[in-house]
Every structure is written in C-alpha cells, then in structure tokens.
Amino acid sequence: MATIKDVSRLANVSISTVSRVINNTAQVAPEKREAVLSAMKELNFRPNSFAQALVSKRSNCIGVLVGDLCGGPFFAQMMLGLERVIDRANKFTIVMSGNHDEQRERHAIEALLQRQCDALILHSKALPDEELLELTHGDTPIVFVNRVVPGAEERCVWLDNREGTCCAVRHLISMGHSKIAFVTSDDSDFTDAKQRFEGYKSGLEEAGIALDPQLVTSAYADEVGGHKAVEQLLERNVEFTAFVGFNDAMAAGGISCLMERGLQVPEQVSVVGFDDIPYIRFIRPKLTTVKYPIESIGEQAAELALRLLDGKNSEDVRLKFVPEMVVRDSVKQI
Amino acid sequence: MATIKDVSRLANVSISTVSRVINNTAQVAPEKREAVLSAMKELNFRPNSFAQALVSKRSNCIGVLVGDLCGGPFFAQMMLGLERVIDRANKFTIVMSGNHDEQRERHAIEALLQRQCDALILHSKALPDEELLELTHGDTPIVFVNRVVPGAEERCVWLDNREGTCCAVRHLISMGHSKIAFVTSDDSDFTDAKQRFEGYKSGLEEAGIALDPQLVTSAYADEVGGHKAVEQLLERNVEFTAFVGFNDAMAAGGISCLMERGLQVPEQVSVVGFDDIPYIRFIRPKLTTVKYPIESIGEQAAELALRLLDGKNSEDVRLKFVPEMVVRDSVKQI
DNA sequence: CTGTTAGCGCCTTCAT
DNA sequence: ATGAAGGCGCTAACAG
C-alpha cells in the first residue's frame, strides 16, 4: 500500500503538500495539486486511517452494541436507522453483538472502547445499571437504547413499554372486552417484560377490572412460546375474549394455537400484539398491534451520539418514544 | 486515556517492559510484571488499537459489505454465521451496507479498504464482475458471498440457485404436477433471478414439459409483488396446479392472493418457495420451500477469509452449497 | 504557498 | 531481563 511519502516523491512535493490536498486544509498551487492528485491515482493511494486516527484522536467510528443481529428483524431495523444518520455524518459503524450475555456484553463494550470509537450506542440487556452508569463517566460519549439508566436519563433513547401494553388493553376495553388475558415472557427479570406487565395491570386498573392471575400465562418469548402459553391458558378453562401478546411473535404463536383448536380470530378471540414487526403482514388475520418505532429510535440514538461528540446541544433529540396502536383486523367489537 | 508511557512511569519500568507484559512477548521479572499489571489496572489502561495497528500492520478487522441490513432477515442471518467465526478468531467485524446501489457499494468497499481491514467479505449485487475481479489483485484478501466472480471462483462462497428451483420443480413433478407456474422477480439483470429461472426451465425440460411463457409472471420480489404477479397470472386464465416462487416472500404474497379469491392451498394450488426464511413459520399453510443455508454460507465465507489471511490452505472450506428441499404442507400430491 | 519538524502510541530491534 | 532508540503514516504548527 502506497504511503503519503510515495505520493510526495512521485509528485515532487513535500508530504505536507500532499496532506494539504488530501484534507483540503490549505491553498495549494493548482499545478502541484494536479501533480499530487495524479500521483495519488497512479499509486492507488488511500490514506492510512490508523495513522490519521492516531494523530487526530478521532477514529470516525461509532461503536454499536446490539442484543443479537438475528433475533428477528428488530436489530436490523434499528441498524437501518442508525446507519442512515451515521453514514450521513461520514462516519463508520462498528457493530458487535452481546447475545444477551453479561460477559459477552462487557467484553464487547471493552473492545469497542479499545477501538477508540468516538462514541458508543449500547443496547444492553444484561449489564446492571451501575455498570452502565459508570461507563458514562469515561471520556467516550455513550448513548443507551431501549433502556433507561437511572442517573443518565438524558442519554437514553427508549420506548415507554408500559404505556404500550396499557394502550393495548385500553383499546380492547374500548372494543367491549373485559376478560383480557396476557401472554408474556417467562424471563421475569427482563425489564421489558416487567414493564409490559405493569402496563397490562394498569390498563385493567384504569377500567376498574381486577387482575386475574389465571389470565396471565408465560413462556419463551417467541412463536413457539406463544403457542405453548396459550395452550396452558386454554387448559385452565378460564373464560377470555381477548389476549395481549408480549410481542408479535408470541401473538402469532398464540393465534395458531387457537386456530388449531377451531377458535376463530377475531370472531371468538381478539388479539393484540406488540412491536409491529415487518413480517406481520404474513399473519392472518392482519394483526392489530402496538408499534415499536425502532427505526426512529435508532435514528435518534445516532443523532444524540453525534451531538454529544460534537459538543453540540442535544435538546431537540427525542429521547422518550410513545407507542401507538396500529389497528388492523385481529380485534372485534363485542 | 492513559498511554503506555503513563503505565511505565507509574510502574517504574521502561515502555518496552510494559509492551512485553501486554503482548507476552518476552520474559519479565515477576515483580515488575506485577507492578505493570497493577499500574495498568489503576490507570484503566487500554492499548490504543490504532497505534498497534499502525506499527503491526494488522487491524484485526474484517470488513463486510452487505446488501442491506434490513431487507428481511437474510443478512442478519448471514452476519450471525460470519460473526461466530470472526469472533472466535478474536477479530472484529466492520459492516457496511451497499443498499444494492453501485455507487454506494463502491464507496463502501473503498471505505473498508481504507480502514485497513485485514480481509473483506463482499456480498455485492451491483458491481460488475471485472471490478470485483480487479479487487482480488490488491493485497487485501477478498471473499465473495452469494456470487460467482469468474476468474476468482476459489474465493466465492455461494449457493447453486439454478439447482434450487430445479429441485423445486422436480419435487412438484414427483407429486404429479405438470402445469407449474413461476412467479419471479422483475429485475431481470439480477443474477439470482436469471439463475432461478434457468433452474425452473431445466426442471421442466428434464421432465419433457415444454415451457409455457404464459405461466411465467413477475413483479418486485416481495410479498406485494408476489400478490400482484399471481393476480396477473390468474387474469391470463391459464390453467396451473402449482407455482414456484422466486422467494418465500413472493410465495407468501401469491398465497394470499389465491386465498382472497377462494383458492385453497394446497388443495387447489400447490406452492413452493425459496430461501426458508425464519418467519415462514408464520405462514399458513406451512410453506414447502428450498433452503438457502445462509448462515452456513456466512460461516464458510468467514472461514475462508481467515484462511486467506493466515496464508493457511483453504482446501477444506466449502465453497459451493447445494440447496435442499424442505417439505412442509403447501404441496399436494395429485 | 511550501517545506521542515515534531510528535500521536506503540512495537521491535539492538545493546546492555 | 531490561532500556534506549527508531520508525509505522499522518497531521499540525512553525518557519520561510
């Protein structure tokens, strides 16, 4: 790989001049500039980004920690939002996945930091609040996604999960339902699960409906889990006219369980999901759900990170997102 | 951020000694080693990876170009495979997406190269063969995924698309079908589309069935497109008992079109998809499809890249993948 | 406008 | 076993 020295030699100028034309950092005589340009082309020169980073103290990289790239389209969508703005700022994205494992998350963050990322965007599920808070004291700007870290609220971009399930319940109630089940994740120290359950409870409470523990069922938070959970629910022989799913996948699994038993959705049971994942359009009936605006969240998180980096004020960055209902065909008025 | 100098000062040793304990590159007196270690801890020292890369000529990064992170779970799954092996090799992954645009792909590769990635794994759809071939002449090892670049075959990890649709057709024929439609992408200079169409043709040919152009229909390669394409097909009023979809999304779209018109799958029309995307389980009936082992392909691509890097022989890396049928419920024997 | 010079943080001989 | 010194490729004063 050719270096700046090679170019300077070929163009018969000093390395500073070359540097100047590379970075447009000062005026250079047109003829010399031409000479440099053609020398660069001839040698297929590309500035060594490490040398640049070493001296300029800027890596132009934003490090991103995600749960896992493959757990559904979720992170992919977030990345889409992130990339859009990071790209526009002419920076790079380095992605690492923590796979929801504490050790791995810690290691990934460590690695990102060591890479001298200019800023970090973290979607950490496994690390404790204190550890995350600690990180914000370092000299690398850090932004948290989908999580509120106490003491670092102004660096968190997140969705109000509680409000989400609450909306879902409200919607069902407005459609005449009152026996509403909740099909949730069995990972009870998963913050999202707690919050969504809270939302379910307060939605009922608002309407003066007592919580019936028999109507709450849980399993692993995917389609298979949803299927199982609804199966359990059915076995309990409690009456319900609707259920809210922890996420769309569980809702879809639950629906297939109902259908297998000859129960029609929404004729006999209404269903509301959560997330509005793209491939929900494959599900029949079209699922009514709560939108998780993950792409926008990604965008705002990146925006915030860049602001922090530039020391610009970040007041107009949206931190807290409020979910909205997406009404489709899986809820029936009764 | 503390530097090696700070550490050496605090530990009362020379820079070299610190370097030695960092890299385990020579014997160091136990007491000094201890002093260094504790100094590193105290200063929260992390070696500057740029300085390391600058002098060692190794960035420990593998650059990856993907079509887009969000066009379905496809790339996410590939990333899963890639990451697994890159991670195991203690290296990093830098991802950029080309969004199927020639300019952007070129720019992304340029950027990755400038980042001094140790090797590149490219999933390029838009760049011409010659340009890609050219890249392999540089000094950075390059691996192509899901594409055969003439002249660089030993650096390509790919699936035999042609064989895939051929399998699908064979399967349908073995189930008694002979009027088999093909619902494909309208992007005709898209290599995958060409190859899959070839497979469809040769599948028919094998069975001595003449190709009926009326049975081939195309649209944008997603669910909506599938819907449209099948709509067209229906309007043509040609008889068919089955169709092969360009991919699962088109198949799913086609199925919903059929269902809306009261046509049962597979009772009246059998369907075979392509890819076996994860969320296919949401589709009713369960779709029979051709598996695209994208995760394994990702793994092997990464494996190949690492081999190339280490100059190890890469003979046992699997380059060409052969698709296999996944038989589920959307095909009926007639 | 241009060239010279001094590092950025680290690794690696080369002496000791 | 250890320290001193040189240099990786580049940028940023500083002199002309």
Side-chain angles (χ1 to χ4, degrees):
Chain A
M1 183 67 76
T3 77
I4 197 175
K5 221 177 197 165
D6 301 324
V7 176
S8 76
R9 207 171 312 150
L10 184 61
N12 252 316
V13 296
S14 73
I15 56 173
S16 324
T17 302
V18 178
S19 176
R20 284 177 189 117
V21 350
I22 295 173
N23 304 300
N24 251 311
T25 184
Q27 290 295 331
V28 172
E31 65 228 61
K32 298 214 173 191
R33 150 178 239 88
E34 269 318 307
V36 170
L37 252 19
S38 78
M40 297 204 321
K41 185 149 296 169
E42 185 174 338
L43 295 171
N44 191 18
F45 168 79
R46 262 186 288 271
N48 181 321
S49 56
F50 293 130
Q52 291 179 315
L54 186 58
V55 54
S56 70
K57 308 281 191 193
R58 274 274 181 130
S59 70
N60 276 319
C61 279
I62 306 290
V64 179
L65 172 73
V66 300
D68 61 299
L69 262 347
C70 208
F74 196 83
F75 290 108
Q77 265 184 283
M78 181 173 87
M79 289 303 305
L80 198 70
L82 285 175
E83 271 210 325
R84 195 187 346 265
V85 352
I86 293 177
D87 211 77
R88 208 188 299 135
N90 256 311
K91 297 193 182 295
F92 287 75
T93 308
I94 299 191
V95 194
M96 299 207 59
S97 54
N99 291 323
H100 303 286
D101 174 74
E102 189 171 336
Q103 283 302 327
R104 284 189 51 87
E105 282 192 3
R106 192 171 289 122
H107 171 260
I109 293 175
E110 191 65 22
L112 254 14
L113 247 21
Q114 175 169 353
R115 281 268 157 222
Q116 330 292 129
C117 288
D118 293 340
L120 258 42
I121 296 174
L122 308 180
H123 184 305
S124 167
K125 281 300 172 196
L127 260 22
D129 284 337
E130 310 79 55
E131 195 165 339
L132 295 181
L133 184 59
E134 178 79 24
L135 284 172
T136 65
H137 300 331
D139 30 29
T140 305
I142 300 208
V143 171
F144 301 102
V145 180
N146 297 340
R147 170 158 180 171
V148 180
V149 177
E153 288 83 358
E154 76 293 350
R155 310 210 155 191
C156 299
V157 180
W158 57 289
L159 177 79
D160 189 341
N161 276 297
R162 194 183 151 290
E163 182 63 18
T165 34
C166 192
C167 273
V169 170
R170 264 191 221 120
H171 176 68
L172 284 167
I173 288 172
S174 77
M175 297 292 272
H177 296 267
S178 60
K179 297 176 193 319
I180 302 170
F182 187 48
V183 176
T184 188
S185 163
D186 56 4
D187 182 356
S188 55
D189 46 43
F190 181 28
T191 324
D192 291 14
K194 281 189 216 154
Q195 295 171 343
R196 294 188 184 183
F197 183 50
E198 283 306 316
Y200 167 71
K201 284 199 293 191
S202 53
L204 292 178
E205 204 171 318
E206 275 178 23
I209 301 175
L211 173 75
D212 179 356
Q214 286 281 87
L215 284 176
V216 178
T217 176
S218 66
Y220 189 78
D222 65 1
E223 203 232 9
V224 178
H227 190 106
K228 264 192 219 154
V230 168
E231 204 158 38
Q232 280 170 29
L233 188 60
L234 257 15
E235 279 166 10
R236 289 185 198 155
N237 247 328
V238 280
E239 201 188 334
F240 64 98
T241 62
F243 78 81
V244 173
F246 169 74
N247 59 20
D248 291 338
M250 290 196 90
I255 289 175
S256 49
C257 179
L258 293 172
M259 307 238 288
E260 284 163 18
R261 283 165 179 64
L263 291 165
Q264 295 300 311
V265 176
E267 288 72 15
Q268 288 158 279
V269 179
S270 290
V271 179
V272 180
F274 201 123
D275 285 350
D276 195 30
I277 52 181
Y279 53 81
I280 207 141
R281 48 178 189 229
F282 288 100
I283 302 171
R284 315 264 140 208
K286 299 273 186 204
L287 192 61
T288 288
T289 191
V290 177
K291 182 167 182 63
Y292 201 131
I294 182 62
E295 198 175 323
S296 313
I297 288 182
E299 273 184 3
Q300 292 302 301
E303 209 72 69
L304 178 57
L306 293 177
R307 298 291 175 83
L308 256 25
L309 236 184
D310 296 341
K312 278 196 291 194
N313 93 336
S314 51
E315 278 160 25
D316 48 336
V317 172
R318 180 128 156 250
L319 298 179
K320 173 175 170 179
F321 280 71
V322 176
E324 28 175 299
M325 289 296 305
V326 181
V327 176
R328 290 198 269 251
D329 314 325
S330 63
V331 173
K332 199 188 120 201
Q333 172 91 49
I334 60 173
Chain B
M1 183 66 77
T3 76
I4 198 174
K5 220 175 198 166
D6 301 323
V7 176
S8 76
R9 208 170 310 150
L10 184 62
N12 250 318
V13 296
S14 73
I15 296 185
S16 323
T17 303
V18 178
S19 175
R20 284 178 187 115
V21 350
I22 294 174
N23 304 300
N24 251 311
T25 185
Q27 291 293 331
V28 171
E31 66 230 59
K32 301 215 171 192
R33 148 177 242 90
E34 270 318 306
V36 170
L37 252 18
S38 77
M40 296 203 320
K41 185 149 297 170
E42 186 174 337
L43 295 171
N44 191 20
F45 168 79
R46 261 185 290 271
N48 180 320
S49 56
F50 294 132
Q52 290 180 316
L54 185 57
V55 54
S56 71
K57 309 280 191 193
R58 274 277 179 130
S59 69
N60 277 317
C61 279
I62 306 289
V64 179
L65 171 74
V66 300
D68 62 299
L69 261 348
C70 207
F74 196 83
F75 290 108
Q77 265 184 284
M78 181 174 87
M79 288 305 304
L80 199 70
L82 285 174
E83 271 209 324
R84 195 189 344 269
V85 353
I86 292 176
D87 211 78
R88 206 188 300 133
N90 257 311
K91 297 193 183 296
F92 287 75
T93 308
I94 299 190
V95 194
M96 300 208 59
S97 54
N99 291 324
H100 303 287
D101 174 75
E102 189 171 336
Q103 283 303 326
R104 283 189 52 85
E105 283 192 3
R106 193 172 289 123
H107 172 260
I109 293 175
E110 192 64 22
L112 255 13
L113 247 22
Q114 174 169 353
R115 282 268 158 222
Q116 329 292 127
C117 288
D118 294 340
L120 257 43
I121 296 175
L122 308 181
H123 185 305
S124 167
K125 282 298 173 199
L127 260 21
D129 283 337
E130 309 79 54
E131 195 166 341
L132 296 180
L133 185 58
E134 178 80 24
L135 284 172
T136 63
H137 300 331
D139 30 30
T140 305
I142 301 209
V143 170
F144 301 101
V145 181
N146 296 342
R147 169 156 182 175
V148 181
V149 177
E153 288 83 358
E154 76 291 351
R155 309 209 156 192
C156 300
V157 181
W158 56 288
L159 177 79
D160 190 340
N161 276 299
R162 193 184 151 288
E163 181 63 18
T165 34
C166 191
C167 272
V169 171
R170 265 192 219 118
H171 177 68
L172 284 167
I173 288 173
S174 77
M175 297 293 272
H177 296 266
S178 60
K179 296 176 195 317
I180 303 169
F182 188 48
V183 176
T184 189
S185 163
D186 57 4
D187 181 357
S188 54
D189 48 41
F190 181 27
T191 324
D192 291 16
K194 282 189 215 156
Q195 294 170 343
R196 293 187 185 183
F197 183 51
E198 283 305 315
Y200 166 71
K201 285 199 293 191
S202 53
L204 292 178
E205 203 171 320
E206 275 179 24
I209 300 175
L211 172 75
D212 178 358
Q214 286 281 86
L215 285 176
V216 178
T217 176
S218 66
Y220 189 78
D222 66 0
E223 203 232 10
V224 178
H227 191 106
K228 265 192 221 156
V230 168
E231 205 158 39
Q232 281 170 28
L233 188 61
L234 256 16
E235 279 166 10
R236 289 185 197 155
N237 248 326
V238 280
E239 202 188 335
F240 64 98
T241 62
F243 79 80
V244 174
F246 169 73
N247 60 20
D248 291 339
M250 290 197 90
I255 289 176
S256 49
C257 179
L258 294 172
M259 307 237 289
E260 283 163 18
R261 284 165 178 63
L263 291 165
Q264 294 301 311
V265 176
E267 289 71 15
Q268 288 157 279
V269 180
S270 291
V271 178
V272 180
F274 201 123
D275 285 351
D276 196 30
I277 53 181
Y279 54 79
I280 207 143
R281 49 180 188 227
F282 288 99
I283 302 171
R284 315 267 138 209
K286 300 273 187 206
L287 192 61
T288 288
T289 192
V290 177
K291 182 169 181 60
Y292 201 130
I294 183 62
E295 197 175 324
S296 312
I297 288 181
E299 273 185 4
Q300 292 302 302
E303 208 73 69
L304 178 56
L306 293 177
R307 297 291 174 82
L308 255 26
L309 236 183
D310 296 341
K312 278 197 291 195
N313 93 336
S314 50
E315 278 160 25
D316 49 336
V317 172
R318 181 130 155 248
L319 298 179
K320 173 175 169 179
F321 280 71
V322 176
E324 28 174 302
M325 288 297 304
V326 182
V327 176
R328 290 198 270 251
D329 313 326
S330 63
V331 173
K332 199 188 119 200
Q333 172 92 50
I334 60 173

